Amino acid sequence: MNTLFQPYRLNDTITLANRFMMAPLTRCMAGPGLVPTEQMAAYYARRADIGLIISEAVIIRPDGQGYPNTPGLFSEAQIEGWKKVTGAVHAKGGKIFAQLWHVGRLSHPFFHHGEVLAPSAVAHEGTVPRMRELTYLVPRALILAEIAQLVQDYAQAAANAIEAGFDGVEIHGANGYLIDQFLHHSSNLRSDEYGGNPANMSRFALEVVDAISARIGGERVGLRLSPGAYVHLAGSPEDRAVFDHLLAELNQRTLAYIHLGIFDDSLTFDYLGGRASDYLRSHYQGNLVGVGNYSAETAAQAIKAERFDLVAIGRPLIANPDYLDKVKNGEALVPYAETMLAELV
């Protein structure tokens, strides 16, 4: 357990106070104009003793929205709002990355009155969370010029994040959202340079990584990935080759870390040979963040076994702003309950 509370050097630029990270937790609490609020600043500041806070997912542009009241990072008002959040975290000695997000086909015109865009014209079946009256639509496949613009929009959002005082960014390339939709065969049916084989299917993710790294420095860039499709996507044995290629390319680049996107790391995937975290560890040479129903005790065991280097904690941090103190003192944690989503405690 003591290992978890020791400082951890991500790279020459960033050293964390401990090996805990706050997992990105969508709260849908932004104010008018998708601007962060004072309440959000207080919420993050109460958790500033965590080694690195990953913010709730932040929309890079209006058509990236897929849930109500999720904050953005594309307007001056939003940047100013986030300055209050980062300032509050830094005042408590903490560090915070912004998670950059576009939901792709999981968006809806209700949010932005425009088209729904995705790698291919393949709809996700179901309804929008928290707005069950909205059914997902068939998206329009992105054309090449629009893909190039998206790459630049990700880079601009990263620059906006640094202007807003964030210590870095995490690119949301997981959980069936836009970047992940390019990486899986069930959602990417393209036959041009962004589809059809592992190199092409990896291209968009790598272009986003490269553009952001060129703008703010790769040492300030994390990437979240879901090599095992488990939400918003159907998995395919062919996906393995895509991630084999992607990770080999990422090993040639500077990144702060890769963060597994999964809700439960006990899940196994035949085409990955077991758990997604073990697959990432065997293919990626840099810092790896584990997540998925870990307690402090099980995380310490996994880190001791060198399965990953840091652990991201999610729902227990919603229920316990004083999570670290309770773990240190051996106190019982308050159980998470869905009713807690209605408040920023």
Side-chain angles (χ1 to χ4, degrees):
M1 286 286 287
N2 190 51
T3 300
L4 293 172
F5 292 93
Q6 298 302 310
Y8 185 81
R9 181 178 176 275
L10 276 180
N11 49 47
D12 291 342
T13 301
I14 300 173
T15 296
L16 307 181
N18 51 67
R19 293 192 189 222
F20 288 99
M21 290 171 53
M22 179 175 174
L25 299 160
T26 297
R27 302 305 306 273
C28 300
M29 290 289 191
L34 307 183
V35 174
T37 64
E38 295 281 0
Q39 188 182 21
M40 289 167 58
Y43 165 78
Y44 285 111
R46 280 191 288 269
R47 294 155 174 85
D49 57 350
I50 294 293
L52 179 61
I53 293 172
I54 309 301
S55 79
E56 60 205 279
V58 182
I59 306 159
I60 65 165
R61 65 186 209 182
D63 64 2
Q65 186 176 0
Y67 301 75
N69 303 318
T70 47
L73 246 177
F74 53 85
S75 77
E76 285 301 320
Q78 291 162 359
I79 293 170
E80 291 303 311
W82 280 116
K83 285 180 180 178
K84 297 176 183 177
V85 175
T86 60
V89 170
H90 291 152
K92 294 286 188 68
K95 290 184 170 64
I96 182 169
F97 275 25
Q99 192 190 57
L100 304 182
W101 194 29
H102 192 298
V103 303
R105 68 178 185 174
L106 296 174
S107 186
H108 194 281
F110 173 87
F111 298 116
H112 48 78
H113 310 294
E115 293 181 287
V116 177
L117 303 173
S120 301
V122 181
H124 176 64
E125 294 185 8
T127 57
V128 176
R130 309 190 193 200
M131 303 186 75
R132 297 298 183 185
E133 70 277 11
L134 300 179
T135 301
Y136 289 117
L137 306 178
V138 177
R140 178 174 64 76
L142 289 154
I143 63 173
L144 295 181
E146 291 170 329
I147 294 174
Q149 183 60 55
L150 274 163
V151 172
Q152 295 310 307
D153 291 338
Y154 271 102
Q156 183 60 53
N160 292 347
I162 299 303
E163 180 183 347
F166 284 99
D167 298 287
V169 302
E170 177 177 288
I171 302 165
H172 199 343
N175 297 358
Y177 298 118
L178 179 63
I179 293 173
D180 205 23
Q181 290 161 24
F182 276 91
L183 296 172
H184 293 272
H185 283 81
S186 67
S187 51
N188 185 346
L189 308 182
R190 302 180 72 95
S191 57
D192 61 5
E193 56 260 55
Y194 289 93
N197 62 56
N200 287 350
M201 293 173 70
S202 300
R203 190 180 309 277
F204 179 63
L206 292 170
E207 287 179 346
V208 170
V209 167
D210 290 344
I212 290 177
S213 297
R215 198 73 175 266
I216 70 170
E219 71 280 359
R220 296 188 181 276
V221 180
L223 175 62
R224 199 169 203 199
L225 293 174
S226 296
Y230 73 105
V231 63
H232 301 140
L233 287 172
S236 165
E238 295 178 288
D239 294 345
R240 166 68 181 263
V242 179
F243 283 89
D244 283 355
H245 176 84
L246 175 63
L247 293 165
E249 287 291 324
L250 292 172
N251 279 327
Q252 306 305 311
R253 291 161 165 82
T254 296
L255 284 176
Y257 60 81
I258 284 180
H259 180 188
L260 173 64
I262 203 162
F263 298 147
D264 185 348
D265 196 25
S266 68
L267 291 175
T268 58
F269 302 86
D270 289 346
Y271 58 90
L272 299 180
R275 289 182 292 201
S277 56
D278 294 333
Y279 166 77
L280 285 177
R281 179 53 111 188
S282 66
H283 285 75
Y284 181 63
Q285 298 167 4
N287 296 312
L288 180 62
V289 182
V291 73
N293 277 345
Y294 283 97
S295 66
E297 292 79 6
T298 58
Q301 293 166 8
I303 288 172
K304 183 178 180 180
E306 299 185 344
R307 293 189 50 238
F308 44 79
D309 304 296
L310 304 108
V311 63
I313 303 296
R315 290 176 173 179
L317 267 171
I318 293 178
N320 300 269
D322 54 351
Y323 177 86
L324 284 195
D325 284 341
K326 286 181 175 176
V327 171
K328 284 180 182 177
N329 298 326
E331 299 175 20
L333 297 175
V334 175
Y336 167 81
E338 286 193 12
T339 55
M340 294 175 180
L341 291 176
E343 298 180 0
L344 285 178
V345 177

